[in-house]
Amino acid sequence: MLNSFSKNLKDDISAGIAVFLVSVPLSLGIAMASGAPPLSGLITGIIGGLIVSQLSGSTLGINGTAAGLTVIILAAIQQLGFNAFLLAVVLAGLIQIGMGILRAGVIAYYFPSSVINGMLYGIGLILFLKQIPHAVGYDRDYEGDVNFIQSDQYSSFSELNHMLNSLSPGAVLISLLSLASLLIWEFLIKDKHPLLRLLQGGLVALLVGVLANLLLANFYPAWELKNAHLVMIPVFEHPSDVLSQLYLPDFARLFDPKVYWFALTIALVASIETLLTVEAVDKLDPYKRITPTSRELIVQGIGNICAGFIGGLPMTQLIIRSSINIESGAKSRTAALVQSLLLLFTIIFIPGVFNLVPLASLASILLLAGYRLARPQVFENMYMAGKYHFIPFCATVLGLVLTDLLTGIAIGMSFALIAILIENYRGSFYLRETHIGNKTVLRLSEQVSFLNKANVQRTLKQLPPGSEVVIDATRSKFIDYDIFEIIQNFRSEAQLKGIKLTVENLRGYGTLPPPETVGAQTSASQQSLTPAEVLAILKEGNERFVNNLKSNRNLLEQVNDTRKGQFPIAIILSCIDSRTSVELIFDQGLGDVFSARVAGNVVNDDILGSMEFACKLAGSKLIVVLGHSLCGAVKGACADVELDHLTGLLQKIKPAVHAVRAEFDAKNPPEQPVLVQKVAERNVHLSVEQIRKQSPLLDGMAKAGQIDIVGAMYDVETGQVEFYADTQTAAACCQAHPAAVAPAVTNVIPIGLQALGKSAV
């Protein structure tokens, strides 16, 4: 943990400084627009970083007072007075804690990505539009306003017209110099040396702006920016005077119904804005970490209680400041802590220094932040996602730009709901989950919409590190972009958590083409394969079988395709055990492999003749001797069972029994299961050796590289097949070095016919 902290510290400090630079004017502007003391907005930002961000599950989220609450705060202060309003903030925090305990945060998972992306894009456009007037010195609207209709009754668009009559040459010069220095530093200078990365481009821009304004004051006073064109933090004669600006809730109004009405309104609006921002921040997070939303409501409630007790405004998680935090390279919640400590230090010790900062210089930073949120590429990507995502995205963007945050989201959600209803009309949407030991298999249905988002995210989030998960989209004909995005993000998360992930037939999103159908082997495909390639095909097939997957095959088509001839690529000798069907174990279809089955997978003349036919005449490239665990025939041979014709068959396994017994120390008898397993393995090695010795034809083909002969062991408990790299060499090695085999006994008590009858052959 300490190493991680120190490793990320330089990035977090740099990002914290960047957020701090914009937090001061935004917090002051929102506080003044709300009719509250200017310091109250800064108090909320300090609590947000010192307390809320440290308790939150959101790693990169920044908390503070939000412009979306301005109208509610203004009305509450006017009707209740500031102290009674603070009581409403405390009660709102208690309501949020209750909502979190009741897990109301789950509603965040039902915000479509089209709406979240629209919110980010819309906020970027608004930020860009709102900063243009500040960049030219027209500062009538407060910094941080995101509403279309402003407090001065101008709109975001009409403001652009009015600013032309109030252009300030000094502001234009300062904003251009600040923006130029910001771009040059970020894109040309910053990466030249590691030490330069510690200095944020935003700080460079502000320093350039302050220096430029000081030069104007000395050499061209007519262009100097003063008063309302600068940041205005309250200045105190002594640091202790800050305490006089802290206000307490008026608990005498505890039974006033208006207090509870505003408390409920603040809690609901702040919670919705927070949940929307949490989803947006998680989407921007380069590490794709997921924030526990109900926990976030609880910590937001704690933050509002603290803010209400000392004179702060209601808080939410903030998308503009959070996006700047992420773009500035923050790695952990330390960045939020840094920005709040800087806020506290500035208020107490150096408010006058920060009051030298021109708003035009700050506008340059926010203009770049707005552009980054509203990149043209985002618009293009949403268009490519399809009309069911693009239309709600556009509706959200237009709603935000032309109204306010909550109204814009409501408009976007309405369009998204219509799209959902249209999609759902096409069929049922569900997710089937199966657990096999430590493995989770998620099998998607034919139609999958974003309604599955919460279930999929919860299921993937609950997977423990080191587990295995299989996501099978073979049956899917339609997959919503949200589900596709979650699965793509989980690929990165799975690597970080050490989860073995297998994704089958995820063919994109939207309406999907049918999965490719696997046809039967043809003469051309058979002849083009080498023995090694055939072995790889069998290994891949077994991997699918273990993951409860299978290739898409039309068996009726394969019947028709093979009616005029067969071209199997391998012949597999296995036991007659009902659990060892090789076509299933290796996920093969009709006409793909020859299957020879006999109890104990022993070799005889008939088996050898079948193998010679398969390889020499039918063109198969691989012979596999497949043993299996818990083999009944091997158990019978170990127990010296005798039963009519079975006695002769078990005699063929006896050489393996004698060889294994000879390797064990008689004083350390093995457990019966250990003996049986080792005999089964040795029986495979000896069977491969018999094939080579008793069939000069097959041995010659193997030496010529035309075929290969390998042994393998199938685990009936896991479904896994282990291939022996060089069975003949391995068998010879075991015979030459018996000490390499684990000790076991030579004396085995016969278990008789009763045990044989209970075991599966």
Side-chain angles (χ1 to χ4, degrees):
M1 183 66 72
L2 184 60
N3 290 337
S4 177
F5 173 80
S6 59
K7 178 182 178 182
N8 298 328
L9 187 59
K10 67 179 189 303
D11 295 318
D12 289 332
I13 290 177
S14 178
I17 293 173
V19 177
F20 156 72
L21 296 176
V22 299
S23 290
V24 173
L26 293 178
S27 299
L28 288 170
I30 294 170
M32 290 186 289
S34 303
L39 199 61
S40 59
L42 296 172
I43 289 173
T44 303
I46 293 169
I47 293 173
L50 289 180
I51 298 176
V52 176
S53 293
Q54 307 313 307
L55 297 176
S56 170
S58 179
T59 308
L60 302 179
I62 300 295
N63 301 280
T65 186
L69 293 171
T70 302
V71 176
I72 299 172
I73 297 171
L74 180 61
I77 293 175
Q78 289 175 346
Q79 296 185 38
L80 300 176
F82 190 65
N83 295 91
F85 159 73
L86 294 179
L87 176 61
V89 175
V90 172
L91 295 175
L94 292 173
I95 294 172
Q96 285 184 297
I97 291 175
M99 293 169 64
I101 293 173
L102 295 175
R103 299 193 178 280
V106 71
I107 65 173
Y109 297 132
Y110 294 97
F111 296 136
S113 64
S114 57
V115 175
I116 300 299
N117 287 327
M119 183 185 76
L120 289 170
Y121 200 88
I123 289 291
L125 287 179
I126 292 170
L127 191 58
F128 198 89
L129 288 172
K130 293 288 188 180
Q131 293 309 310
I132 294 175
H134 293 296
V136 299
Y138 187 66
D139 298 312
R140 288 189 58 177
D141 187 31
Y142 69 90
E143 190 66 81
D145 186 15
V146 295
N147 294 336
F148 182 69
I149 302 299
Q150 302 172 172
S151 57
D152 57 9
Q153 300 309 307
Y154 292 155
S155 70
S156 299
F157 295 151
S158 65
E159 189 84 339
L160 298 177
N161 181 48
H162 288 97
M163 76 179 186
L164 297 177
N165 300 321
S166 304
L167 291 177
S168 169
V172 174
L173 176 63
I174 288 173
S175 61
L176 290 176
L177 289 174
S178 297
L179 183 59
S181 62
L182 174 61
L183 295 175
I184 292 172
W185 184 268
E186 289 290 330
F187 298 104
L188 297 178
I189 298 178
K190 185 177 179 180
D191 293 330
K192 296 294 184 181
H193 194 280
L195 291 177
L196 297 178
R197 297 175 188 171
L198 298 176
L199 187 59
Q200 267 294 333
L203 182 57
V204 174
L206 292 192
L207 292 175
V208 169
V210 170
L211 179 60
N213 199 41
L214 291 175
L215 291 174
L216 289 176
N218 284 279
F219 298 102
Y220 205 84
W223 282 18
E224 179 191 4
L225 299 182
K226 302 177 182 179
N227 302 326
H229 299 298
L230 303 175
V231 176
M232 299 175 64
I233 301 177
V235 179
F236 304 99
E237 293 183 4
H238 193 274
S240 61
D241 294 340
V242 175
L243 298 176
S244 65
Q245 296 298 310
L246 302 182
Y247 295 84
L248 298 176
D250 183 4
F251 287 100
R253 303 281 294 277
L254 192 59
F255 298 102
D256 187 341
K258 287 186 179 180
V259 171
Y260 287 91
W261 170 253
F262 279 110
L264 180 61
T265 303
I266 292 171
L268 293 177
V269 175
S271 297
I272 291 173
E273 288 198 21
T274 291
L275 293 178
L276 285 165
T277 304
V278 162
E279 283 287 285
V281 171
D282 285 351
K283 187 178 290 291
L284 294 174
D285 183 359
Y287 297 99
K288 302 304 177 186
R289 290 164 288 200
I290 298 175
T291 300
T293 51
S294 294
R295 173 182 169 183
E296 187 64 26
L297 290 180
I298 293 174
V299 298
Q300 289 287 329
I302 294 172
N304 277 323
I305 291 173
C306 295
F309 266 110
I310 60 174
L313 298 182
M315 74 171 56
T316 68
Q317 192 169 124
L318 306 166
I319 186 58
I320 294 176
R321 280 171 253 187
S322 297
S323 66
I324 292 174
N325 189 40
I326 294 170
E327 289 287 350
S328 301
K331 297 294 190 298
S332 73
R333 53 179 57 88
T334 304
L337 179 64
V338 169
Q339 72 93 24
S340 63
L341 291 174
L342 289 173
L343 282 174
L344 184 61
F345 180 81
T346 300
I347 293 171
I348 297 176
F349 298 108
I350 56 168
V353 174
F354 206 90
N355 286 347
L356 296 174
V357 175
L359 292 179
S361 187
L362 278 166
S364 66
I365 301 175
L366 294 173
L367 280 170
L368 182 59
Y371 172 77
R372 282 171 166 167
L373 285 173
R375 290 185 180 98
Q377 184 182 1
V378 176
F379 192 86
E380 180 183 352
N381 291 342
M382 292 307 300
Y383 178 79
M384 297 300 296
K387 60 182 178 181
Y388 290 121
H389 284 269
F390 184 64
I391 294 175
F393 167 80
C394 292
T396 306
V397 172
L398 291 175
L400 259 69
V401 173
L402 299 178
T403 58
D404 55 64
L405 178 62
L406 292 179
T407 304
I409 293 297
I411 292 172
M413 288 294 291
S414 299
F415 276 83
L417 180 60
I418 294 172
I420 291 166
L421 293 175
I422 295 174
E423 288 179 305
N424 273 272
Y425 182 75
R426 303 172 64 175
S428 60
F429 297 74
Y430 66 89
L431 173 74
R432 183 179 178 185
E433 181 180 346
T434 306
H435 294 278
I436 307 172
N438 193 39
K439 182 179 298 181
T440 300
V441 179
L442 302 178
R443 204 175 301 281
L444 304 182
S445 68
E446 290 188 356
Q447 306 285 338
V448 189
S449 80
F450 99 98
L451 295 175
N452 291 112
K453 183 177 180 180
N455 287 335
V456 174
Q457 271 192 327
R458 183 174 61 250
T459 300
L460 297 180
K461 182 179 179 181
Q462 292 174 348
L463 291 170
S467 60
E468 295 183 39
V469 61
V470 177
I471 301 176
D472 183 15
T474 302
R475 296 179 176 84
S476 299
K477 296 180 180 178
F478 179 89
I479 293 181
D480 190 89
Y481 180 79
D482 285 352
I483 304 299
F484 178 82
E485 186 179 52
I486 290 172
I487 295 173
Q488 294 300 97
N489 290 341
F490 183 70
R491 293 180 188 269
S492 301
E493 183 181 351
Q495 291 181 348
L496 296 175
K497 296 173 67 175
I499 294 175
K500 181 182 179 182
L501 174 63
T502 301
V503 180
E504 184 79 357
N505 276 321
L506 184 62
R507 307 179 300 285
Y509 52 81
T511 302
L512 304 179
E516 184 178 352
T517 301
V518 180
Q521 294 291 341
T522 64
S523 176
S525 65
Q526 181 200 58
Q527 293 306 310
S528 67
L529 293 171
T530 65
E533 290 172 339
V534 173
L535 181 60
I537 290 173
L538 296 184
K539 289 181 177 180
E540 292 170 0
N542 180 245
E543 185 70 18
R544 289 193 296 273
F545 173 76
V546 170
N547 288 327
N548 200 26
L549 301 171
K550 60 181 178 180
S551 300
N552 186 42
R553 288 187 172 87
N554 187 321
L555 295 180
L556 182 58
E557 284 184 2
Q558 290 194 335
V559 169
N560 294 328
D561 292 341
T562 58
R563 70 185 185 276
K564 293 183 179 180
Q566 59 172 337
F567 305 96
I569 57 176
I571 176 169
I572 303 173
L573 170 61
S574 63
C575 183
I576 65 168
D577 190 293
S578 61
R579 299 163 292 182
T580 60
S581 177
V582 296
E583 286 83 358
L584 298 178
I585 292 172
F586 295 111
D587 187 32
Q588 299 300 305
L590 295 174
D592 290 340
V593 295
F594 285 111
S595 177
R597 302 184 68 174
V598 61
N601 44 273
V602 298
V603 175
N604 57 36
D605 289 342
D606 296 329
I607 295 293
L608 288 172
S610 300
M611 291 178 175
E612 290 167 351
F613 165 81
C615 296
K616 188 65 177 178
L617 301 180
S620 296
K621 301 297 182 67
L622 184 68
I623 297 174
V624 180
V625 178
L626 182 65
H628 69 93
S629 61
L630 306 178
C631 180
V634 172
K635 289 180 181 179
C638 291
D640 299 318
V641 169
E642 295 184 0
L643 178 65
D644 211 344
H645 292 85
L646 180 61
T647 304
L649 186 149
L650 297 183
Q651 286 297 321
K652 292 182 171 57
I653 305 176
K654 288 292 186 179
V657 177
H658 297 323
V660 172
R661 284 177 175 172
E663 295 166 358
F664 288 101
D665 185 354
K667 296 181 179 180
N668 297 296
E671 296 289 335
Q672 182 71 9
V674 174
L675 176 66
V676 171
Q677 181 62 27
K678 290 192 174 296
V679 170
E681 294 170 359
R682 180 59 59 83
N683 185 48
V684 168
H685 292 301
L686 293 180
S687 294
V688 170
E689 186 178 355
Q690 282 181 275
I691 294 170
R692 292 181 179 273
K693 287 184 177 180
Q694 296 180 21
S695 176
L697 172 64
L698 296 175
D699 187 49
M701 293 180 71
K703 290 178 179 178
Q706 298 172 347
I707 66 170
D708 200 0
I709 307 171
V710 299
M713 183 61 60
Y714 170 66
D715 190 331
V716 299
E717 296 178 294
T718 66
Q720 190 77 44
V721 174
E722 177 187 0
F723 284 90
Y724 301 124
D726 188 338
T727 311
Q728 185 177 26
T729 303
C733 180
C734 291
Q735 292 172 357
H737 304 282
V741 183
V745 289
T746 55
N747 297 329
V748 180
I749 302 175
I751 57 175
L753 294 174
Q754 182 179 6
L756 179 61
K758 291 182 179 179
S759 55
V761 176

